Amino acid sequence: MAFSLSELNLVNVDNLLQLIIRFTFNLLVTLVLVRILYYQNTRRKDYLFTFLLISTIVFLLCILLENVNLQLGFALGLFAIFGIIRYRTTQIPIKEMTYLFITIGVSVINALSGSKVSVAELVVTNLLVIAVTFALERLWLLKHESSKLIIYEKIELITPARYDEMLADLKERTGLDIHRVEVGRINFLRDTADVIIYYYNAGVSNVTDFEVGDDDDD
C-alpha cells in the first residue's frame, strides 16, 4: 500500500488558532469553576487534579473528532462512560460527581459548538453556568456541609434514646460544628460503630470531606 507524504495535513493555521483559542477559553472557564468555586471551599487537590485533566481530555477528544458525524452520540457516550466508571476505587460524594458532570458538560459544549453557535451565545452559556454555580456555592448555600466517617468506640451512646449525648460527645471531641449523625455498621465484637458525622465549615477547611475507616480516637 503506497503512502504519500503529501496526504498528510501538516499544518492548518486556521484550525490550529481555533484550537488554541477554544482550549484557552475552556480552560479558563474550568479553572473558575473548579479552582475558585470548588477548591476554595473543599481544598481537595485530588479532585482538582481530576476535574482539570478530565476537562482537558474531553475537550480535545471532542474538538479533534468534531468533523466526524458522531457529535451528539459521542457526547452522550462520554457521559455514559464516566457515569459507569465512576472511579470504582473510591466512593465519590454527590457534590464531586456534580462538578465532574459540569466540567464534562462545559468541555463538550465548548468543543462541539459549531458555526451555527455564535461566540456571544457560547460566552453567555459558560457565564450562566459559572453564575449559577457561584450563586449556589457562595450566596444561597452559605454553609458548606462536609461529612466524615469515623470509628466510634462509645457504643452505648449509639441508641436513639441517647442520640443527643452522642452528638454532644462528638462535638466536644472533634471541635466541629456537627449538626447530625448517622450510625452505620456496628461491630459488637470490638464494641465500635461506623458513624458518619455531618458538620458545617465556618471557613475553608482542610478536613477531607469523606474518609473511610478514619479513626478520630485519641
Side-chain angles (χ1 to χ4, degrees):
M1 180 177 177
F3 176 78
S4 175
L5 191 62
S6 61
E7 295 177 1
L8 285 177
N9 188 2
L10 295 179
V11 179
N12 188 316
V13 178
D14 292 337
N15 289 347
L16 180 61
L17 288 176
Q18 185 181 62
L19 171 64
I20 294 174
I21 293 173
R22 283 193 175 192
F23 177 78
T24 303
F25 176 72
N26 183 72
L27 182 61
L28 289 175
V29 172
T30 305
L31 284 174
V32 171
L33 287 170
V34 302
R35 179 60 180 86
I36 298 178
L37 298 181
Y38 170 78
Y39 181 73
Q40 286 188 353
N41 282 334
T42 62
R43 295 293 177 180
R44 296 296 301 270
K45 292 183 179 179
D46 49 351
Y47 285 116
L48 178 64
F49 175 86
T50 300
F51 295 150
L52 288 175
L53 283 185
I54 284 183
S55 173
T56 299
I57 194 63
V58 168
F59 175 84
L60 293 176
L61 276 172
C62 290
I63 199 167
L64 292 177
L65 296 178
E66 184 178 6
N67 293 329
V68 182
N69 293 325
L70 298 174
Q71 292 188 7
L72 181 58
F74 182 71
L76 295 177
L78 284 173
F79 286 109
I81 290 172
F82 286 109
I84 293 173
I85 295 175
R86 290 193 59 186
Y87 299 98
R88 306 294 298 182
T89 56
T90 184
Q91 180 175 353
I92 302 179
I94 186 64
K95 184 173 183 178
E96 278 66 24
M97 283 300 300
T98 303
Y99 270 98
L100 178 61
F101 182 84
I102 292 174
T103 53
I104 294 175
V106 167
S107 300
V108 170
I109 291 172
N110 292 334
L112 296 182
S113 56
S115 57
K116 294 183 179 180
V117 180
S118 66
V119 175
E121 289 176 301
L122 186 61
V123 171
V124 169
T125 299
N126 283 268
L127 289 178
L128 286 174
V129 174
I130 294 174
V132 172
T133 307
F134 175 82
L136 291 173
E137 281 280 17
R138 302 294 176 84
L139 300 180
W140 296 340
L141 304 180
L142 297 179
K143 292 184 177 181
H144 174 68
E145 184 186 69
S146 297
S147 62
K148 187 176 179 68
L149 179 61
I150 65 174
I151 299 175
Y152 192 56
E153 89 290 354
K154 292 187 178 181
I155 199 170
E156 69 277 3
L157 298 182
I158 66 173
T159 60
R162 306 188 67 179
Y163 175 82
D164 292 337
E165 294 181 56
M166 177 177 61
L167 184 62
D169 179 62
L170 289 169
K171 283 183 178 180
E172 180 181 356
R173 297 171 68 182
T174 62
L176 299 173
D177 183 18
I178 303 171
H179 62 279
R180 62 189 176 100
V181 176
E182 292 181 2
V183 179
R185 184 177 57 184
I186 302 173
N187 190 329
F188 287 107
L189 293 177
R190 297 184 179 180
D191 285 338
T192 60
D194 292 343
V195 176
I196 302 177
I197 59 174
Y198 296 88
Y199 57 95
Y200 291 124
N201 291 329
V204 175
S205 174
N206 291 323
V207 181
T208 304
D209 279 351
F210 193 88
E211 294 185 359
V212 177
D214 185 36
D215 192 343
D216 279 355
D217 292 340
D218 293 331

